[in-house]
Amino acid sequence: MGSLSTRVSNQWRFKRREVKVTNVMVRVQTPVQRLTGEAVSGVMVLLPENIRVLYVASGCVEPYVQIIRVNDSKRRLSLCSSEDSEAEEPEYQEEGDDALLVLSNHSRLLEDHDLEQLAAHMPARIHGNPWQLVYSTAIHGSSLKTLYRNMAGLDSPVLLVIKDVHKKVFGAFSTDPFRVSKYYYGTGETFLFSFNPDFQAYRWSGENSYFVNGKLESLQIGGGGDGFGLWLDADLYHGASFSCHTFHNAPLSTQKDFIVQDLEVWTVQN
């Protein structure tokens, strides 16, 4: 986010006012008056998208005007908690854009064409960053506690990939690393996916904010409706997937209750 500040001498008096405009012609006039009471003539300005104009004055600082340019690609959605939160429309890379997830380790579950399809649905701000393997049942064993422990201290998106005993591959992208929490967390950029057999991504429906909920006994992603969009037990052995209101998804596996054969979790490497 860049900013441009124009200092105004203290012969001007400002009222605090914030205006967000999008590609419109705006006359900036009413906030400013001379101490003599004379109105300043307006100036016609064509402002680009995503501009915030802020007029600030207080008893302890010199009045000034600040024009703030908002970088859409780095806009984060508000976290979900027990309190009401506002969420903006998430932004994704267009399908045709040249993007590929770069893995710093070998994946037992994902091929190059799988990575291309996943990348097309991820936020553009994380493209070009390498992904590292943070948990694998083949390396670390089958334990949800170990999965949480390996993610302690992380603050970056994660990709969960599961292969069940019927050789179906599916999973979830989460903007937040998995952790134990009393409340649901995550953002509207979270989505479910499956290669069953063709790739399908299930983005946030906007119907509720049940993105991710980490418990000691289970990991839950999506909810409402028939059940969880994706559910795993404490041993990362038994799982379930139902259609849920959060993502309006079809069950990710061919069986609503499935057994995990392999599981990997990847995170963006800072």
Side-chain angles (χ1 to χ4, degrees), residues 10 29-30 40 43 68 72 94 97 102 109 114 117 128 132 144 166 195 198 206 211-212 219-220 244:
N10 54 17
Q29 175 175 327
T30 58
V40 179
V43 178
I68 302 174
D72 284 341
E94 294 296 328
D97 287 359
V102 179
L109 307 180
D114 301 328
Q117 292 172 313
Q132 64 181 7
L144 185 58
H166 297 291
F195 300 94
D198 298 324
F211 299 119
V212 181
L219 177 64
Q220 307 159 7
C244 72

Side-chain angles (χ1 to χ4, degrees), residues 17 19-29 42-49 51 53 55:
R17 181 177 180 185
V19 182
K20 183 179 180 182
V21 296
T22 304
N23 281 346
V24 294
M25 190 76 74
V26 177
R27 181 181 296 275
V28 180
Q29 175 175 327
V43 178
M44 299 300 291
V45 180
L46 179 61
L47 296 177
E49 295 183 353
I51 294 295
V53 182
Y55 302 91

Side-chain angles (χ1 to χ4, degrees), residues 104-247:
S104 58
N105 309 90
H106 171 71
S107 174
R108 296 164 54 93
L109 307 180
L110 295 173
E111 303 292 340
D112 285 347
H113 66 277
D114 301 328
L115 299 176
E116 293 176 1
Q117 292 172 313
L118 285 168
H121 292 270
M122 290 184 177
R125 68 176 181 274
I126 64 175
H127 285 167
N129 295 312
W131 289 72
Q132 64 181 7
L133 185 66
V134 68
Y135 179 84
S136 168
T137 51
I139 300 172
H140 304 100
S142 298
S143 170
L144 185 58
K145 287 184 179 180
T146 303
L147 186 152
Y148 289 143
R149 185 166 57 249
N150 286 8
M151 294 190 183
L154 293 180
D155 186 24
S156 55
V158 294
L159 180 68
L160 167 67
V161 188
I162 299 167
K163 184 177 184 179
D164 67 14
V165 294
H166 297 291
K167 311 302 180 184
K168 302 302 180 183
V169 178
F170 49 90
F173 169 82
S174 172
T175 51
D176 293 66
F178 301 133
R179 64 181 186 273
V180 177
S181 176
K182 185 177 180 180
Y183 306 110
Y184 279 87
Y185 54 88
T187 75
E189 292 171 326
T190 303
F191 65 86
L192 299 176
F193 65 87
S194 68
F195 300 94
N196 193 19
D198 298 324
F199 177 77
Q200 181 67 52
Y202 301 98
R203 294 174 175 172
W204 180 39
S205 69
E207 193 163 331
N208 63 41
S209 298
Y210 301 154
F211 299 119
V212 181
N213 193 7
K215 303 294 185 184
L216 288 175
E217 65 276 8
S218 66
L219 177 64
Q220 307 159 7
I221 304 176
D226 296 336
F228 300 114
L230 182 57
W231 176 92
L232 294 167
D233 71 357
D235 297 323
L236 300 180
Y237 181 70
H238 290 99
S241 177
F242 298 87
S243 177
C244 72
H245 290 167
T246 311
F247 302 108

